[in-house]
Amino acid sequence: ISDRDISDWQEIQKRLKLLVKEQLPWLEELGRQILQILNFETECVLIKGLSFHLYKRPIADHLYLALAAHLGQFTVHDNSKKVIWDVTPRPFPSNRKLTFSEINSEAPLHIDSAFRSQPEKYFGLFALNSAKEGGHSVIVKAKEVIESLSSS
């Protein structure tokens, strides 16, 4: 990923923050409150009732990105330069290994961005449509897992 690609997302992030400040001050305040909670060594924040799902897809994505712009730097994950990655089954050739987000089955316990040498400090899960069955997320404190493995 070139520096230009990264600076494009940085510019988009700046514009989103300005738009939120001018048009959606409640979203800016929510971002401040989330950061304040996370700065007190809290491992996660669960937010319900934002109603982003009531909007068509591009608008819902932009609302989510507008909130995320207040929490940290966006990370581009692949050659498509997307910062939002859909978790949905996809048809792919059988010779390609699929990620957990591309298959329609249970994923073992994992961390997102484990492939990165410096994983993001924060990442967001944004559900527009919850799974009809399953689809449960488990959040574990990494520190406790490491301590448990060290003592066994």
Side-chain angles (χ1 to χ4, degrees), residues 26-115:
W26 65 269
L27 202 56
E28 180 182 34
E29 179 57 27
L30 179 59
R32 266 195 230 108
Q33 290 175 11
I34 292 169
L35 270 181
Q36 192 173 22
I37 292 167
L38 290 171
N39 285 333
F40 284 109
E41 300 293 323
T42 303
E43 281 78 18
C44 70
V45 175
L46 175 64
I47 303 165
K48 291 184 175 185
L50 283 178
S51 303
F52 289 175
H53 68 284
L54 298 175
Y55 298 94
K56 292 189 186 264
R57 186 58 198 274
I59 294 170
D61 288 354
H62 284 89
L63 286 169
Y64 176 74
L65 287 173
L67 175 60
H70 289 82
L71 305 177
Q73 207 59 35
F74 294 150
T75 303
V76 177
H77 281 281
D78 64 5
N79 292 333
S80 70
K81 302 174 191 152
K82 294 189 298 185
V83 294
I84 292 182
W85 188 264
D86 290 334
V87 177
T88 188
R90 295 171 178 83
F92 280 106
S94 59
N95 63 343
R96 182 178 174 276
K97 183 168 173 51
L98 301 177
T99 67
F100 297 136
S101 65
E102 299 170 318
I103 57 176
N104 192 16
S105 62
E106 185 176 350
L109 192 60
H110 68 283
I111 182 170
D112 288 5
S113 297
F115 56 88

Side-chain angles (χ1 to χ4, degrees), residues 2-41:
S2 72
D3 290 339
R4 184 178 160 270
D5 299 331
I6 292 168
S7 66
D8 287 348
W9 273 113
Q10 289 171 343
E11 182 59 32
I12 289 167
Q13 194 164 1
K14 284 180 195 172
R15 289 181 186 179
L16 280 169
K17 286 174 98 169
L18 183 60
L19 175 72
V20 167
K21 186 178 194 79
E22 293 172 354
Q23 304 293 322
L24 303 166
W26 65 269
L27 202 56
E28 180 182 34
E29 179 57 27
L30 179 59
R32 266 195 230 108
Q33 290 175 11
I34 292 169
L35 270 181
Q36 192 173 22
I37 292 167
L38 290 171
N39 285 333
F40 284 109
E41 300 293 323

